[in-house]
Amino acid sequence: MQRVTISIDDELAAQFERLIARRGYVNRSEAFRDLVREAVAADDLTDDPDCECVGVVSYSYNHHERQLAMRLTEHQHEHTGAVISTMHVHLSHDECAEAVVIRGSAAEVRHVADTMTAEPGIRHGRVNLIPVKHE
Ligand code: NI
């Protein structure tokens, strides 16, 4: 274990404290380690499109929007080998949210995620890539 001392300006420090409180970290060190892990994982995946990973794609949409729900389902059926699971949440009378878990190479996961979140009418589209480590 190494000790790292960093200097950051007051505003960023205050934002960091709020993030720690919001995410419920027990201390600054644990929060900082998690942020570094996220950055390292994102960088590794950017460097290596063949890196095996699991991606969680999340987004919301209006299910009354013409054919959008059907197109989202079609995207998933086109990639049945990669899509592991889908969770659907009815947010309100009109709005739905979904989380889709995809496993494959970083390039494949990104491709499937991008085709879904690029659909017109999709809001808050985002993918979180998690590398699969083999010991
Ligand atoms: Ni719904």
Side-chain angles (χ1 to χ4, degrees):
M1 186 80 80
Q2 291 186 30
R3 264 190 109 74
V4 178
T5 306
I6 57 165
S7 302
I8 55 176
D9 62 64
D10 293 348
E11 190 185 341
L12 189 58
Q15 289 172 330
F16 186 46
E17 292 301 327
R18 286 199 293 276
L19 181 137
I20 289 168
R22 197 169 60 240
R23 291 194 183 179
Y25 286 113
V26 291
N27 56 48
R28 286 178 181 166
S29 291
E30 188 49 40
F32 185 73
R33 282 192 289 269
D34 242 19
L35 294 177
V36 172
R37 281 186 204 108
E38 283 175 21
V40 169
D43 197 55
D44 280 348
L45 291 165
T46 306
D47 286 351
D48 181 10
D50 296 326
C51 172
E52 185 184 358
C53 70
V54 165
V56 182
V57 190
S58 58
Y59 50 82
S60 69
Y61 64 98
N62 183 327
H63 72 96
H64 295 301
E65 187 134 344
R66 200 169 166 273
Q67 296 192 322
L68 178 53
M70 191 192 75
R71 288 199 304 273
L72 290 168
T73 303
E74 279 175 358
H75 285 306
Q76 295 181 49
H77 280 272
E78 279 168 22
H79 302 278
T80 47
V83 175
I84 295 170
S85 179
T86 303
M87 182 176 72
H88 184 102
V89 180
H90 310 299
L91 296 178
S92 66
H93 182 72
D94 300 322
E95 288 290 306
C96 301
E98 287 188 341
V100 182
V101 181
I102 303 165
R103 184 168 187 158
S105 67
E108 183 180 16
V109 171
R110 272 193 211 281
H111 169 71
V112 178
D114 289 347
T115 56
M116 297 183 79
T117 56
E119 280 287 347
I122 291 295
R123 287 186 280 268
H124 308 291
R126 186 173 178 167
V127 60
N128 184 27
L129 290 170
I130 302 163
V132 178
K133 298 280 183 202
H134 296 284
E135 300 309 321

